[in-house]
Amino acid sequence: MFDTKFAIFFVIIFIAKAVEAVTGFGSTIIALTLGAQVYQIEYMLPIVVPLNIILSTYILIKHAKAINWPELARWILPFTIGGLIVGMIIFNIVQGNTLKLAYGVFVLCFAIVELVRLLRTVADCEARPLSAIKSMIWLFAGGVIHGIYASGGPMVVYYSCRKITDKSIFRSTLSVLWLVLNIILLADYIRTGKMTVETMKMFSWLLPALAGGLFVGDILHKRIPERKFRVLVYVLLIVAGASLVIKSMPSFH
């Protein structure tokens, strides 16, 4: 187990957890996009999701006062949970290289769109709430993506960024959402046998990477401009997403 692939994945988990500790999202999308270079997505998800539960619990306990409960209860939780159920059904049907290719395309498109949007705006988040219909669509879509890849952040962030402009409230509120969604996902992984003794061992060996990422991320959250940090994250995702797409493309020769 302790080979080169594991060492690479250990560093990836450290980076992913540090990013989420800074921004409130992005942990899974980074872990899966980079990690797919060494492991299958289906293998990583039952490992990454429990790590995310610990991360979200930590942020929730430490920053509970910053949570926007009314927004969570009225909009974010109901529609994302509805989408999550649909996504979980899709995940149990679609597997293998198709899953990796679809994920690579999703990450690549998301990162390009978000990078362009971020570079064109002055603030990190724009206080321009979406209409009720658009809000429901984005949140439901985020739930679907989370059910498949445990990383529905892009859609939810697109919605939340227009309702919650304070970065600390934004981070804490989304941490509650990820905690709820990931507990549901974990229960399904256990029910369907995706959570095995091997994945539990891998999870335990990655706990130091989680702890280190949390420590570094908490420091960075207070010290660096989040806008510049997000630009770096999106560039990283564009490179990783493109690499994943190229590696997953079917061979025609």
Side-chain angles (χ1 to χ4, degrees), residues 136-157:
M136 286 185 274
I137 291 171
W138 280 100
L139 290 172
F140 186 84
V144 172
I145 296 297
H146 202 89
I148 303 172
Y149 306 115
S151 51
M155 279 78 173
V156 178
V157 166

Side-chain angles (χ1 to χ4, degrees), residues 22-215:
V22 173
T23 64
F25 74 100
S27 169
T28 306
I29 200 168
I30 289 173
L32 294 187
T33 309
L34 299 179
Q37 311 294 330
V38 289
Y39 292 120
Q40 290 293 320
I41 290 175
E42 303 96 311
Y43 174 73
M44 289 187 289
L45 280 170
I47 299 166
V48 170
V49 166
L51 290 171
N52 287 349
I53 289 174
I54 295 175
L55 172 64
S56 299
T57 301
Y58 168 81
I59 295 175
L60 171 60
I61 293 172
K62 191 172 182 181
H63 305 284
K65 292 181 180 179
I67 298 166
N68 186 333
W69 291 107
E71 184 63 36
L72 271 170
R74 282 200 298 260
W75 285 95
I76 298 176
L77 277 172
F79 293 107
T80 51
I81 289 176
L84 181 78
I85 295 169
V86 175
M88 286 162 61
I89 295 170
I90 295 172
F91 176 68
N92 288 320
I93 297 172
V94 181
Q95 299 288 312
N97 210 52
T98 303
L99 192 68
K100 185 186 286 188
L101 177 59
Y103 190 70
V105 172
F106 163 70
V107 170
L108 186 58
C109 293
F110 153 71
I112 291 172
V113 170
E114 286 300 297
L115 180 60
V116 170
R117 186 175 67 83
L118 187 61
L119 293 175
R120 289 178 61 184
T121 57
V122 177
D124 288 339
C125 287
E126 300 173 275
R128 295 190 302 167
L130 300 170
S131 67
I133 296 297
K134 287 183 179 178
S135 296
M136 286 185 274
I137 291 171
W138 280 100
L139 290 172
F140 186 84
V144 172
I145 296 297
H146 202 89
I148 303 172
Y149 306 115
S151 51
M155 279 78 173
V156 178
V157 166
Y158 184 82
Y159 164 85
S160 302
C161 218
R162 285 154 174 72
K163 297 294 288 288
I164 307 170
T165 55
D166 181 281
K167 71 175 184 178
S168 294
I169 296 175
F170 180 88
R171 180 179 68 162
S172 299
T173 303
L174 289 189
S175 291
V176 178
L177 172 66
W178 308 142
L179 179 61
V180 173
L181 297 186
N182 286 331
I183 287 174
I184 296 172
L185 276 181
L186 181 60
D188 188 62
Y189 294 159
I190 294 171
R191 180 187 66 84
T192 56
K194 293 183 178 69
M195 181 65 73
T196 63
V197 174
E198 184 182 355
T199 56
M200 285 301 295
K201 284 181 181 178
M202 179 74 93
F203 158 74
S204 64
W205 290 332
L206 289 168
L207 287 174
L210 167 64
L214 269 174
F215 177 76

